[in-house]
Amino acid sequence: MKEKLSDDNKIFWTKQINDRSFEIAELILGGIIPILLIFIGTISNLLCIFCLLCRKHRRIRSTYIYLIFLFLADTFSLYQWNLNDIFMQFNNGTQLTNKSLFLCHSIAFLSFYTLHLSALFLTLVSIDRTLLLWSRYYRIHMTKRCHALIISLIVLIALFILDGFLLSLGIREKDTNEIQCYYSFNLNLMVFYQTVYPWIHFVVMYIIPFLIMIIGIILIIIKLYNHRLSTRFSHQKRRSCIMLIAMCIVYMILTLPNRLCFSIFYSRLLNHSYTDTILLGSNALLYTRNATNIIFLYLSSTTFRKQLTKFYCCLNCQRQHRIVPIQQIQY
């Protein structure tokens, strides 16, 4: 993730030529795994969205609105730095962001924007489920679709304001006509991007979600423990709460290495033979979470498993209907 300048304002993390063992590891971490994550994550997230939309009697619930936005953000985030890493691995270190100003601006902005959206919408899901368990007023008055859409719109706009300046990063050098992404002729903007924004990114991406999720997990566990013998506290509610706890824990575990590498130890990791391997590995862990939402829904929701089974059966039926006429013609 090419997200932080060095102290001399001229050095980004760029791919280096290393020993063969490191090159093989970097090919797997920066080329093969991102391709698999994009393919699997796109299909699985779209399936999750489709199944949630098919639950007509629950589409008004706020949790499902936040989950749909979460899955959309996760899907878009898979196509940002992953595509850049794939292009870099198979084009001798050339970055996709340096091919055109449009790609530079769009990837620079969407990479941060989609990750921030993913983090905050998962946080909103955590807040929503916690308040559903603890607050009767919230459960009655604040779970309507209109309220969830308004809150989601506020998050979208607020993060656009926060990350919008990234659309201005990227210059074309007059002498060489080369594109230098993540640069600007505005010195103040560069100082902000280099010194302030990495910490903003760290707070939005990890600190805020971490603190809220920890509090939410504790409150949910307390509620589950207090109602462990209650018949009113349905089995489905328990499974949904456990699913949320698992999603939050996995998010914190898979996101932490990336945040430590790029926000805390970035300067210390540069210019070593293992630099590319560690940074690409932290990226792979980060985006693995964006592609694994379907696992949590599948394990926690009987309805979701039935919907997937029905969807698979429909695909098989359509395939058989397309094959039969051809067989008859041949016969």
Side-chain angles (χ1 to χ4, degrees), residues 59-162:
R59 280 186 294 180
I60 60 173
R61 294 296 297 269
S62 53
T63 303
Y64 293 91
I65 300 295
Y66 299 141
L67 282 175
I68 289 172
F69 277 105
L70 170 65
F71 298 152
L72 285 173
D74 284 344
T75 303
F76 282 112
S77 68
L78 289 171
Y79 286 87
Q80 309 311 319
W81 276 312
N82 275 331
L83 283 181
N84 196 45
D85 289 341
I86 294 169
F87 190 85
M88 183 173 63
Q89 286 297 321
F90 295 105
N91 288 274
N92 298 320
T94 302
Q95 297 184 23
L96 188 62
T97 52
N98 293 336
K99 301 301 291 184
S100 72
L101 283 175
F102 172 77
L103 289 173
C104 170
H105 293 158
S106 59
I107 292 178
F109 168 71
L110 289 174
S111 297
F112 288 97
Y113 184 63
T114 53
L115 285 176
H116 291 168
L117 284 176
S118 177
L120 290 192
F121 276 116
L122 181 57
T123 305
L124 281 176
V125 173
S126 177
I127 294 173
D128 183 78
R129 296 305 300 179
T130 304
L131 291 178
L132 279 172
L133 293 176
W134 283 91
S135 174
R136 184 173 181 273
Y137 176 85
Y138 182 87
R139 188 164 54 249
I140 296 175
H141 299 286
M142 298 301 295
T143 58
K144 296 180 180 179
R145 181 172 56 181
C146 59
H147 294 152
L149 289 174
I150 291 173
I151 294 174
S152 300
L153 183 61
I154 292 174
V155 171
L156 291 169
I157 295 174
L159 289 180
F160 183 85
I161 294 173
L162 176 66

Side-chain angles (χ1 to χ4, degrees), residues 1 3-4 81 112 115-116 119-120 123 159 162-163 192-213 251-252 254-266 286:
M1 293 167 66
E3 62 187 70
K4 186 178 177 184
W81 276 312
F112 288 97
L115 285 176
H116 291 168
L120 290 192
T123 305
L159 289 180
L162 176 66
D163 300 326
F192 173 78
Y193 175 68
Q194 178 182 359
T195 60
V196 179
Y197 188 72
W199 289 103
I200 293 176
H201 182 47
F202 183 58
V203 170
V204 174
M205 187 72 188
Y206 196 78
I207 298 299
I208 293 176
F210 177 82
L211 294 176
I212 294 177
M213 288 177 191
Y251 174 85
M252 290 184 284
L254 296 184
T255 306
L256 180 59
N258 186 270
R259 290 300 87 230
L260 292 177
C261 288
F262 286 100
S263 296
I264 307 297
F265 303 113
Y266 183 81
L286 172 68

Side-chain angles (χ1 to χ4, degrees), residues 240-254:
S240 298
C241 293
I242 293 173
M243 177 202 73
L244 176 61
I245 293 173
M247 289 182 70
C248 293
I249 292 175
V250 168
Y251 174 85
M252 290 184 284
I253 293 174
L254 296 184

Side-chain angles (χ1 to χ4, degrees), residues 27-80:
L27 175 63
I28 296 173
L29 294 172
I32 297 175
I33 290 180
I35 292 174
L36 293 176
L37 289 178
I38 290 175
F39 178 75
I40 296 173
T42 300
I43 294 176
S44 62
N45 285 331
L46 291 179
L47 276 175
C48 291
I49 294 172
F50 174 77
C51 290
L52 288 178
L53 290 175
C54 288
R55 300 184 184 186
K56 296 181 180 180
H57 64 292
R58 291 185 176 180
R59 280 186 294 180
I60 60 173
R61 294 296 297 269
S62 53
T63 303
Y64 293 91
I65 300 295
Y66 299 141
L67 282 175
I68 289 172
F69 277 105
L70 170 65
F71 298 152
L72 285 173
D74 284 344
T75 303
F76 282 112
S77 68
L78 289 171
Y79 286 87
Q80 309 311 319

